[in-house]
């Protein structure tokens, strides 16, 4: 973690109108968790760091044609649940995962309001690939 | 990377990337820009994104970028593309997640000098009356049955339930109700995301702004629109909130998985699309229309809230605030245009672009038909906003479309780095602009320096004959989402 409480595998990059995030993880599940951390830092900075008791649970079950679409659909589903249930989901216990499927349990906490209004997680520029260090890496553009 | 030397200059305000620039382009890309604005357009991914749009099946004439254009995701912001009904596609990315994000202008009978001491109070009251709604609900919680009525009838629902006047409906694009809406095509999740968001502003670049009419350029059209010098007016910018965002998310996911079956392989998944006459395409169009109706209803509810704020502070009827017009700038519409001299029905996608139909067009409300459709162009706080009118030449140049704002030039991160928000607030107040912002970070992100010069953008569309300048507005009170 850096002094801002941000994982070294997360980097916010310039985008003229929206938010471009570069994320990496040693494994595919780690990449998904890193991206979830990045999205939560936009929704409510510091919230997951400050709240250790997570009492809102929701199951998640996603299938997709490849790991890139799976990642975007996963984040979109979490964003939907965050908005509908007015909660930030800080953790995801992954029970089953492949390039095409993710099953797990989201754990979060209710919030009074979000600091940023994320409209959506886009497929634009998303491409899960192995980088030169052998880690999974992608860019994600959030519409805000 | 496209550079200036790759562009063909068609005239002083129009540049072309020829279809031959990339083997997969079906039509050229047209960029409306003055020479001064072109550098900003070339420095990010705007050109590569509009070239991607030019590859989509059934696209007619050209993929077009307006002078306020900048990179988005999939389509660039400021993008216009028209597709043939016969072999074209519908693409949610060509409309955006904030379906029917748009602007409306309320005009008062009061001159600035008559109320300038009350501007800070009114700005504060507008902030109190209009919830931001970020993770918190607004004042209205819709049942599923009421939600379906909103999705079906749009702003009509608001007027029927006492949140407006019948004449408001005559002063909105599509009368505030897009035909073809089917609430059954909107997911329960989308409805839940929006059920407490009617009458809420949202965040980002959404705002309510008190302005004074600073300059009248065209007296005849200004008279037709009810505008006069020094008049106090209220500009409202917001969209379909979480409901629209979820509709776009739901259908993009469907289209991404369905495209291979239709042999569609766009260069960017965010351009996911479906044939217009496919079951998925038809379902999306019905859901998009429903979300557009939600947005019109939302802006009508905010109008009701603004009228109550006006009453509370000014001590005069809120209904003294007349709606001049309401435009959508993120939408797809079935329209008839002339292509190669022949009338053709097309589905026109405008993402960060405004419809600007010229005089005489039957889709322009009767009260404005002689003048042309009112076009509302918000600038950035501290600069200007504009009222334009649609122009006949724009019907053939750009499918009756024009710009939608100043257009960003700096990322939000760069703006926060460059701008000292407390100092910005002081500077704005010294200019006589009252500011109410959710946070200093949000204020910095929307600072004037983050945007292009709106005067140059508007001058470009005026000179390119996409729209006619009618009046310039100067902000005196700003409420940022």
């Amino acid at each position: 973690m850096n002094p801002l409480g941000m994982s070294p595998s997360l980097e916010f990059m310039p985008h003229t109108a929206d938010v471009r995030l570069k994320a990496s993880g040693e494994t595919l599940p780690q990449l998904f968790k890193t991206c979830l951390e990045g999205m939560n830092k936009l929704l409510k900075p510091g919230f997951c760091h400050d709240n250790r008791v997570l009492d809102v649970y929701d199951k998640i079950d996603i299938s997709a044609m490849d790991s890139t679409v799976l990642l975007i659909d996963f984040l979109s589903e979490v964003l939907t649940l965050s908005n509908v249930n007015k909660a930030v989901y800080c953790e995801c216990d992954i029970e089953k995962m492949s390039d095409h499927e993710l099953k797990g349990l989201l754990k979060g906490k209710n919030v009074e309001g979000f600091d940023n209004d994320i409209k959506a997680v886009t497929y634009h520029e998303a491409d899960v690939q192995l980088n030169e260090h052998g880690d999974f890496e992608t860019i994600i553009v959030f519409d805000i | 990377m496209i550079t200036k030397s790759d562009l063909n200059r068609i005239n002083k305000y129009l540049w072309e990337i020829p279809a031959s620039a990339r083997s997969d382009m079906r039509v050229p890309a047209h960029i409306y820009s003055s020479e001064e604005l072109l550098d900003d357009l070339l420095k990010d991914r705007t050109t590569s994104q509009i070239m991607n749009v030019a590859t989509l099946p059934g696209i007619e004439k050209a993929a077009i970028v307006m002078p306020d254009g900048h990179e988005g995701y999939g389509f660039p912001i400021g993008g216009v593309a028209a597709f043939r009904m016969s072999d074209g596609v519908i693409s949610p990315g060509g409309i955006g997640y904030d379906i029917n994000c748009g602007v409306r202008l309320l005009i008062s009978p009061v001159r600035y000098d008559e109320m300038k001491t009350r501007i800070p109070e009114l700005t504060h009251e507008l902030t109190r009356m209009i919830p931001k709604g970020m993770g918190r609900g607004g004042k209205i919680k819709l049942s599923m049955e009421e939600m379906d009525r909103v999705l079906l009838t749009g702003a009509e629902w608001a007027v029927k339930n006492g949140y407006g006047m019948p004449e408001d409906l005559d002063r909105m694009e599509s009368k505030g109700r897009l035909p073809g809406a089917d609430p059954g095509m909107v997911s329960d999740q989308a409805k839940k995301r929006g059920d407490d968001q009617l009458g809420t502003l949202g965040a980002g670049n959404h705002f309510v702004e008190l302005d004074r009419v600073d300059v009248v350029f065209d007296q005849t059209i200004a008279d037709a629109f009810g505008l006069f010098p020094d008049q106090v007016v209220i500009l409202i910018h917001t969209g379909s909130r979480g409901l629209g965002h979820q509709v776009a998310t739901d259908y993009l996911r469907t289209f991404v998985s369905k495209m291979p079956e239709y042999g569609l392989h766009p260069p960017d998944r965010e351009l996911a699309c479906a044939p217009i006459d496919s079951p998925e395409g038809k379902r999306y169009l019905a859901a998009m229309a429903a979300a557009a109706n939600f947005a019109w209803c939302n802006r009508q509810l905010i109008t009701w809230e603004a009228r109550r704020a006006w009453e509370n502070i000014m001590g005069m009827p809120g209904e003294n605030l007349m709606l001049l017009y309401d435009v959508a700038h993120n939408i797809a519409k079935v329209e008839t245009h002339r292509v190669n001299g022949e009338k053709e029905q097309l589905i026109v996608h405008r993402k960060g672009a405004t419809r600007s139909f010229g005089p005489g067009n039957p889709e322009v409300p009767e009260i404005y038909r002689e003048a042309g459709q009112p076009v509302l162009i918000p600038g950035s706080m501290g600069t200007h906003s504009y009222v334009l009118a649609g122009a006949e030449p724009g019907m053939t140049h750009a499918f009756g479309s024009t710009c939608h704002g100043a257009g960003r030039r700096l990322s939000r991160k760069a703006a926060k780095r460059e701008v000292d928000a407390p100092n910005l607030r002081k500077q704005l107040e010294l200019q006589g602009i009252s500011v109410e912002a959710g946070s200093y970070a949000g204020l910095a992100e929307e600072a004037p320096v983050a945007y292009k010069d709106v005067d140059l953008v508007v001058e470009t569309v005026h000179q390119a004959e996409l729209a006619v300048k009618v009046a310039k507005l100067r902000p005196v009170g700003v409420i940022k989402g």
Side-chain angles (χ1 to χ4, degrees), chain A:
Chain A
M1 294 283 180
N2 64 22
L4 297 173
M6 197 144 113
S7 156
S9 47
L10 267 179
E11 183 187 357
F12 286 104
M13 302 167 76
H15 185 284
T16 307
D18 298 306
V19 172
R20 181 179 275 126
L21 176 76
K22 187 176 181 182
S24 60
E26 286 182 9
T27 62
L28 201 55
Q30 188 54 50
L31 175 69
F32 276 52
K33 290 181 179 185
T34 305
C35 291
L36 178 62
E37 180 192 338
M39 186 166 79
N40 288 336
K41 284 188 186 305
L42 283 173
L43 272 179
K44 192 83 177 165
F47 182 81
C48 290
H49 187 260
D50 298 340
N51 286 278
R52 297 293 178 203
V53 180
L54 305 174
D55 53 8
V56 176
Y57 293 178
D58 273 288
K59 284 184 179 173
I60 190 158
D61 184 351
I62 307 278
S63 55
M65 63 173 70
D66 60 38
S67 56
T68 301
V69 176
L70 187 71
L71 173 60
I72 301 304
D73 291 354
F74 164 71
L75 293 171
S76 293
E77 185 67 20
V78 178
L79 181 63
T80 301
L81 290 168
S82 292
N83 278 285
V84 169
N85 298 331
K86 297 182 175 38
V88 174
Y89 293 93
C90 299
E91 292 176 11
C92 180
D93 290 346
I94 296 174
E95 293 159 11
K96 187 178 175 188
M97 186 165 184
S98 69
D99 280 351
H100 305 280
E101 187 186 17
L102 184 153
K103 281 187 181 176
L105 183 67
L106 294 166
K107 296 178 177 175
K109 192 167 179 63
N110 288 118
V111 286
E112 283 298 311
F114 302 117
D115 288 9
N116 286 297
D117 193 9
I118 303 178
K119 291 175 187 162
V121 190
T122 78
Y123 296 101
H124 184 57
E125 294 184 43
D127 188 13
V128 175
Q129 295 283 346
L130 284 173
N131 65 17
E132 69 271 22
H133 307 297
D135 292 341
F136 290 91
E137 185 177 280
T138 188
I139 299 277
I140 297 174
V141 176
F142 295 93
D143 182 6
I144 65 167

Side-chain angles (χ1 to χ4, degrees), chain B residues 149 153 155-164 169:
Chain B
R149 287 187 198 109
T153 64
E156 282 177 20
W157 180 91
V159 170
K160 196 175 168 190
N161 285 276
Y163 298 106
L169 300 173

